[in-house]
Amino acid sequence: MKRAVVIGLGIFGFNVAKTLYESGFEVTAIDKNKDIIQRIRDHSTKAILADGTDKDVMESIGIQEDDIVIISFGEDLAASTLITLHLKELKVKQIIVKAPNEDTNMSLKR
């Protein structure tokens, strides 16, 4: 079974997590908002209340073992960049980042 992690559960991230879960993925959903974590519980395998920018937390949950990690922080380029850096250091297999524009997309690919 494919395993995915979604970090950041705004409208886009929530719907991605829910869709993947309904498609048969094991989904770990991560956000630092307790209310959102409560709402995603029925639409994910695991819902974790945590700061996605904390590399130690990401490593402790075994994120490097998952097939795909999706970062959905919208306009927060600093958080998206930091998480992307951490995931690359942890040798995550596939990273997908929601980028608000092409310039951001290019900077995250490096």
Side-chain angles (χ1 to χ4, degrees):
M1 179 175 279
K2 290 257 187 184
R3 296 177 1 180
V5 176
V6 180
I7 304 171
L9 301 172
I11 294 169
F12 178 79
F14 189 98
N15 285 312
V16 167
K18 182 179 176 186
T19 300
L20 288 172
Y21 182 71
E22 290 170 351
S23 298
F25 279 72
E26 285 185 20
V27 175
T28 300
I30 301 172
D31 201 284
K32 59 184 179 181
N33 182 310
K34 186 177 179 180
D35 294 334
I36 292 172
I37 291 298
Q38 292 296 328
R39 286 188 294 149
I40 198 69
R41 286 184 190 265
D42 293 336
H43 308 288
S44 63
T45 310
K46 259 192 280 188
I48 299 174
L49 181 63
D51 182 352
T53 63
D54 187 328
K55 182 181 177 184
D56 293 333
V57 170
M58 295 300 104
E59 190 170 19
S60 72
I61 65 170
I63 202 165
Q64 62 275 19
E65 302 300 321
D66 292 295
D67 297 306
I68 185 169
V69 178
I70 300 159
I71 303 167
S72 175
F73 272 77
E75 299 293 324
D76 192 344
L77 178 59
S80 294
T81 303
L82 183 60
I83 295 168
T84 302
L85 173 68
H86 292 329
L87 296 178
K88 286 180 179 183
E89 289 174 352
L90 292 170
K91 303 199 183 325
V92 169
K93 297 171 193 148
Q94 186 174 7
I95 304 166
I96 296 175
V97 184
K98 179 185 177 220
N101 56 52
E102 189 57 35
D103 290 337
T104 303
N105 184 33
M106 294 301 293
S107 70
L108 291 170
K109 285 184 177 181
R110 295 187 178 155

